[in-house]
Every structure is written in C-alpha cells, then in structure tokens.
C-alpha cells in the first residue's frame, strides 16, 4: 500500500499536479486543511482536481491537529489493508 500526503501549498489549488505520488498512490491525503484560507487556497478546487486525476482512488482531507478527517483516513487505510490481505490469502 502506498500513500501520498500533501500539505496545503501557498496560493496553489492544483494539488493534482499529476505526479506519480498524486496519481498512483493508494490513498492521497491532503493535510493542513485548516490553513487553506490563510494561504488563499480553495479546498473545493483542490479536492475536485485530486479526484479528477485519481479517478476512483481515495482522497482524504485532514487536519491532524484537530482530528478532522483522521477517522476517514483510518477507514481508508484499513480498507486498503484488508483488501491486500484478502488478495494474499486468496
């Protein structure tokens, strides 16, 4: 399982720059969503772009300091892990 974590970049809304970490990881984590407003980043655009380039692979927005999105991230990790385990066991 691979994951890619992106922090909110200043004045950049295109998290989906289409690098292999963004496009090919099993889970994309966009962290520090709490500071987006202070660096003039539109989270809606960033999330939509991430979903567009990742097709059906998960994108999770988090604020690790407050715990926002952490439960969803845990659920996604466990889903990926259980799927990989099932494939190994057959």
């Amino acid at each position: 399982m691979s994951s890619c974590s992106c922090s909110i970049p200043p004045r950049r809304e295109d998290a989906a720059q289409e690098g292999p970490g963004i496009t090919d990881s099993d889970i994309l984590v966009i962290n520090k969503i709490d500071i987006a407003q202070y660096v003039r980043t539109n989270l809606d655009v960033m999330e939509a772009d991430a979903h567009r380039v990742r097709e059906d692979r998960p994108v999770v927005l988090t604020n690790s300091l407050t715990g926002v999105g952490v439960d969803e991230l845990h659920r996604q990790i466990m889903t990926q892990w259980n799927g990989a385990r099932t494939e190994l066991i057959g």
Side-chain angles (χ1 to χ4, degrees):
M1 180 174 75
S2 63
S3 65
C4 179
S5 178
C6 298
S7 294
I8 300 295
R11 296 184 186 195
R12 297 276 323 241
E13 294 161 0
D14 58 343
Q17 297 171 15
E18 302 190 34
I22 304 275
T23 58
D24 298 339
S25 60
D26 295 311
I27 302 169
L28 174 64
V29 180
I30 300 174
N31 191 29
K32 300 182 182 177
I33 59 172
D34 55 311
I35 67 167
Q37 63 183 333
Y38 303 112
V39 293
R40 292 183 244 164
T41 298
N42 185 321
L43 282 177
D44 294 332
V45 171
M46 193 173 194
E47 183 179 18
D49 285 350
H51 282 289
R52 178 182 49 80
V53 299
R54 290 182 52 75
E55 298 168 354
D56 293 328
R57 289 180 302 280
V59 175
V60 181
L61 280 68
T62 64
N63 175 352
S64 297
L65 291 176
T66 64
V68 170
V70 173
D71 288 339
E72 173 63 15
L73 177 58
H74 178 260
R75 189 183 71 72
Q76 290 292 340
I77 290 169
M78 294 309 296
T79 298
Q80 294 287 328
W81 184 77
N82 286 330
R85 196 170 132 224
T86 301
E87 286 179 22
L88 288 174
I89 294 171

